[in-house]
Amino acid sequence: MRNHRGKNKYRESLNERKILLVATGGISVYKSVFLVRELIREGARVRVVMSESATRFVTPLTFETLSKNPVRVDLFDQRDISSVPHVELASWAERIIVAPATADFIAKMCAGIADDLASTVVCAARCPVLVAPAMNDGMWINPATQRNIETLRGDKRIIIQPGSGELACGDIGKGRMAEPEDIARRIIDSFAGERKLGGTKVLITAGRTEEDIDQVRYVSNRSSGRMGFALARQAMNMGAEVSLIHGIVDLPAPEANLVKRVKTAVEMKEAVLELFGDCDLFFMVAAVADYTPALSKEGKIKRDKDILTIKMKKTDDILKRVCKMKSKSQRVVGFALEADGGGQNAMKKLKEKNCDFIVLNMIGERSGFSVPTNKITIYDESGELLSTPVITKEEAAGIILKELLADRE
Ligand SMILES: Cc1cc2nc3c(=O)[nH]c(=O)nc-3n(C[C@H](O)[C@H](O)[C@H](O)COP(=O)(O)O)c2cc1C
């Protein structure tokens, strides 16, 4: 079991958040290299756009190596004709941080100028934009720069004030770019309004179980762990304290506050029963075997029969069990995977097990197990609450959590 409860509270707080760094041409662009490292440490996904001038100070390769993503500079560099780079980058980003922001770039932002990739991406942004100015103190106190900063504030840009001290030019004064850790902190803080699950303890199960037939063979299913992991990440992004119990999975598990790995249905049940009492919200996403071989054999079953019969016995129903234990304030969400008669079966499951919500996934080409997409319908005791087209599992996770929050309000 990995337990991260003791960690610095800012660790992983940008878990999978998409941050676009726009680096413009000031000497302090070298500090933005450390900023990228800091953001990656916090768990963010980082992409970088540089102005032409910025590349005179630090090479794109440095940012590419640290961010593990290609760096874009040229507005007309159409590597991928299926998308327009400035629009794609702007809509990808959840936050844009302009660091360093030169006096020139700040002026361009104010005027809405879009004459290179960096300025065009910022102009096309719909997400919050943070700006970390860096310049010589003369440039900083220049009335035009100060006017521009006020304009940006009025435009709801978040200004990260420069500090005072020795400047790159040797002068002492105000204009030093804020330190990378402080900029990272401001980016983290900018998500605070979205932390609607702050103080909420969420328990999630994900992945599949494996039931041994003998020492080399097992019975399992095709669950990849994606849906549960997406929920864990979204819940963490919304400020929840997340405990994750996962069976066998195809992907690395997110670094939740507590991560427990299990193999069999019995281990899954024990882990859930151990942690359930301490959670506010429980998501039973894991695909736990309904049946397990009645007698798992030592060694290896011989290939000496034409027809082999393996007796299976029913496993314990974890969802039903926890629903019997749940207190008035706890909410339990079950997941159902159906091939047909989905709605009726989902409502039957909800009533039989007495859970608060059922999320139905239909088995389909782009929905259900082993694919990154899903098509979900959410039910509560009153019936169907909402239904989605095929969407990513990340999107599905967001919709599920939003629906539960609406129930709490
Ligand atoms: C050595 C050197 C250092 C510079 N440092 C800064 C700086 O810290 N801040 C700034 O606003 N401009 C600085 N400049 C000026 C910018 O590079 C210049 O205004 C450029 O046009 C900015 O282009 P951009 O905003 O497209 O990146 C510096 C120029 C040089 C040659």
Side-chain angles (χ1 to χ4, degrees):
M1 193 195 298
R2 281 180 290 142
N3 190 336
H4 300 278
R5 273 185 219 278
K7 287 196 329 182
N8 170 347
K9 86 178 176 105
Y10 284 103
R11 280 283 161 260
E12 291 299 329
S13 40
L14 287 175
N15 188 25
E16 295 288 321
R17 290 288 193 187
K18 297 175 200 151
I19 313 292
L20 178 67
L21 167 69
V22 174
T24 64
I27 192 84
S28 46
V29 68
Y30 78 91
K31 284 165 81 174
S32 298
V33 172
F34 293 92
L35 173 62
V36 170
R37 208 176 59 174
E38 194 63 24
L39 294 173
I40 299 266
R41 272 196 199 145
E42 297 292 350
R45 288 164 65 189
V46 180
R47 288 168 78 181
V48 180
V49 166
M50 299 175 79
S51 72
E52 197 67 50
S53 316
T55 65
R56 307 285 287 264
F57 296 89
V58 168
T59 66
L61 183 61
T62 309
F63 283 118
E64 278 178 357
T65 310
L66 281 171
S67 69
K68 298 190 174 61
N69 272 315
V71 168
R72 315 281 309 224
V73 179
D74 184 359
L75 180 60
F76 298 100
D77 171 10
Q78 285 290 100
R79 288 177 222 185
D80 174 9
I81 50 157
S82 65
S83 69
V84 180
H86 66 273
V87 177
E88 190 272 321
L89 281 159
S91 56
W92 173 85
E94 290 174 83
R95 293 291 182 274
I96 293 180
I97 168 71
V98 185
T102 58
D104 171 67
F105 198 79
I106 288 167
K108 278 163 69 167
M109 279 180 76
C110 282
I113 292 173
D115 64 354
D116 62 1
L117 182 62
S119 54
T120 309
V121 167
V122 174
C123 193
R126 290 175 203 270
C127 68
V129 178
L130 296 93
V131 181
M135 61 200 72
N136 160 275
D137 61 337
M139 293 171 92
W140 175 247
I141 57 171
N142 181 313
T145 305
Q146 287 305 309
R147 231 178 9 250
N148 290 339
I149 291 289
E150 279 320 304
T151 304
L152 288 188
R153 279 209 180 92
D155 291 346
K156 304 266 181 297
R157 305 315 192 192
I158 302 166
I159 308 296
I160 306 175
Q161 280 290 327
S164 299
E166 194 179 341
L167 304 172
C169 53
D171 291 355
I172 309 276
K174 192 165 180 186
R176 277 168 65 98
M177 187 172 86
E179 297 310 311
E181 306 80 61
D182 297 330
I183 298 176
R185 181 71 50 95
R186 291 292 294 273
I187 295 172
I188 292 164
D189 289 349
S190 74
F191 286 102
E194 295 170 26
R195 296 218 173 84
K196 295 192 171 138
L197 287 175
T200 305
K201 290 181 178 173
V202 176
L203 176 63
I204 299 171
T205 66
R208 57 187 181 268
T209 58
E210 272 181 14
E211 310 299 319
D212 287 349
I213 297 171
D214 61 19
Q215 273 182 309
V216 289
R217 303 177 181 99
Y218 59 83
V219 187
S220 191
N221 58 67
R222 296 198 169 86
S223 170
S224 62
R226 278 195 181 88
M227 190 63 237
F229 287 179
L231 263 171
R233 270 191 290 271
Q234 285 281 356
M236 282 192 278
N237 285 341
M238 290 167 83
E241 185 181 323
V242 174
S243 298
L244 177 65
I245 305 169
H246 71 83
I248 312 299
V249 285
D250 299 344
L251 320 150
E255 297 248 323
N257 298 80
L258 186 143
V259 179
K260 188 164 186 166
R261 191 176 188 278
V262 297
K263 185 182 156 203
T264 64
V266 169
E267 287 173 17
M268 180 68 84
K269 178 188 73 182
E270 282 165 5
V272 171
L273 294 182
E274 183 194 330
L275 299 173
F276 179 73
D278 194 33
C279 79
D280 305 301
L281 260 177
F282 174 54
F283 293 91
M284 185 69 206
V285 196
V288 178
D290 291 327
Y291 289 91
T292 186
L295 285 176
S296 104
K297 291 223 167 17
E298 289 293 310
K300 183 171 173 242
I301 298 172
K302 291 254 167 336
R303 194 172 185 266
D304 54 5
K305 295 185 187 77
D306 286 341
I307 293 178
L308 173 72
T309 307
I310 299 169
K311 282 207 169 135
M312 309 276 278
K313 64 172 188 249
K314 226 180 190 169
T315 55
D316 277 350
D317 189 331
I318 302 175
L319 193 56
K320 203 167 178 178
R321 187 105 177 240
V322 294
C323 286
K324 279 196 183 130
M325 293 162 54
K326 79 179 158 90
S327 69
K328 271 197 180 137
S329 62
Q330 285 180 303
R331 289 278 171 279
V332 173
V333 184
F335 279 66
L337 182 76
E338 301 284 349
D340 45 43
Q344 272 179 351
N345 289 344
M347 281 309 287
K348 196 167 154 237
K349 191 168 176 179
L350 184 130
K351 292 206 166 111
E352 264 175 25
K353 307 202 183 206
N354 187 33
C355 52
D356 301 286
F357 297 90
I358 284 279
V359 178
L360 170 72
N361 320 263
M362 291 305 286
I363 301 176
E365 228 174 81
R366 296 173 63 211
S367 170
F369 284 175
S370 23
V371 286
T373 47
N374 218 352
K375 184 174 176 330
I376 59 163
T377 311
I378 306 178
Y379 299 86
D380 73 358
E381 57 175 6
S382 65
E384 181 179 324
L385 294 177
L386 67 85
S387 181
T388 71
V390 174
I391 49 178
T392 66
K393 286 186 173 166
E394 298 289 340
E395 286 167 331
I399 288 170
I400 294 165
L401 288 169
K402 214 168 136 203
E403 194 57 36
L404 300 199
L405 282 171
D407 172 69
R408 289 210 309 194
E409 276 157 11

